[in-house]
Amino acid sequence: PKIHEDRERLISIPGTVPSPLAWPKGCRFYARCAYAQPICKEQPPQLKEYGGHQIRCWLYEKDEVIS
């Protein structure tokens, strides 16, 4: 978002961000994600390029893109 432009409210993920001193074993969003899978709890996804953005999500690894 840019401060001097009209903007829509950003969507946030419910819950609390884990402490950087105690990141979870898998994906950092696992406990707060409505789309979490068992692999998310065990392994962090790799950084990928998708649509001009960088993402880390197992759904994109499987080409199961959510909209």
Side-chain angles (χ1 to χ4, degrees), residues 29-41:
F29 292 94
Y30 173 77
R32 305 184 301 144
C33 179
Y35 303 99
Q37 307 167 64
I39 194 169
C40 303
K41 188 174 182 179

Side-chain angles (χ1 to χ4, degrees), residues 27 29-30 33-41 43-46 48 50 55-67:
C27 177
F29 292 94
Y30 173 77
C33 179
Y35 303 99
Q37 307 167 64
I39 194 169
C40 303
K41 188 174 182 179
Q43 298 177 21
Q46 297 296 313
K48 295 280 185 176
Y50 187 85
I55 60 168
R56 289 181 192 264
C57 184
W58 285 108
L59 291 175
Y60 289 86
E61 292 287 327
K62 295 179 173 182
D63 293 326
E64 296 176 13
V65 179
I66 52 177
S67 54

Side-chain angles (χ1 to χ4, degrees), residues 3-56:
I3 196 162
H4 299 295
E5 292 181 5
D6 290 337
R7 57 194 182 268
E8 296 178 22
R9 184 163 180 83
L10 295 174
I11 298 170
S12 63
I13 298 173
T16 304
V17 177
S19 167
L21 300 175
W23 287 127
K25 179 179 177 182
C27 177
R28 296 175 184 177
F29 292 94
Y30 173 77
R32 305 184 301 144
C33 179
Y35 303 99
Q37 307 167 64
I39 194 169
C40 303
K41 188 174 182 179
E42 298 299 321
Q43 298 177 21
Q46 297 296 313
L47 186 63
K48 295 280 185 176
E49 181 81 20
Y50 187 85
H53 300 277
Q54 292 186 329
I55 60 168
R56 289 181 192 264

